[in-house]
Amino acid sequence: RIFSVSPAKRQSTANFRMTRTTLTLLLITLIQWVSFLPYFGLLFTKSFNKDFLRNMTRDDQTLYNIGILSHFLSSGVNPYMYGFFSGDFRKECKKAFIAMKKSLK
């Protein structure tokens, strides 16, 4: 009974977690869409412009290849986004930076 939490406090904590989870998933979805836009744009352009690849300079080909691989960006960013919104992850990062700072002195 000593450690009981009032229903209002419990509801407030649950709402905060739900909001944070919703925000995290929304950002993950936005990053997924943004990372796929260059890929879809290039495929769309290539399908309607048959001479698209033939008329490219070397620099254009480089940018084209980067754009085609842009959808892999979301796979690299997702762990950081999940970690950024995790309190435990931030605590561990803080501990690591403090330890690094102490080791440099």
Side-chain angles (χ1 to χ4, degrees), residues 24-67:
T24 303
L25 294 176
L26 176 68
L27 288 174
I28 295 295
T29 303
L30 287 174
I31 289 170
Q32 188 79 20
W33 277 94
V34 168
S35 70
F36 267 89
L37 283 176
Y39 175 76
F40 286 134
L42 289 169
L43 287 182
F44 183 79
T45 303
K46 185 176 133 184
S47 66
F48 287 105
N49 184 358
K50 300 300 178 192
D51 294 328
F52 181 68
L53 294 176
R54 283 188 224 138
N55 297 332
M56 286 186 168
T57 64
R58 190 175 192 139
D59 292 337
D60 292 341
Q61 289 174 355
T62 302
L63 292 174
Y64 173 79
N65 288 330
I66 291 171

Side-chain angles (χ1 to χ4, degrees), residues 16-17 20 24 79-97:
F16 175 72
R17 285 185 181 160
R20 187 174 58 189
T24 303
Y80 295 104
M81 290 303 299
Y82 285 117
F84 178 75
F85 285 101
S86 169
D88 293 334
F89 179 80
R90 287 192 304 273
K91 286 178 198 173
E92 291 299 320
C93 283
K94 187 175 180 180
K95 284 181 191 176
F97 283 123

Side-chain angles (χ1 to χ4, degrees), residues 3-13:
F3 296 107
S4 66
V5 178
S6 69
K9 176 73 172 165
R10 196 172 333 163
Q11 183 66 30
S12 172
T13 303

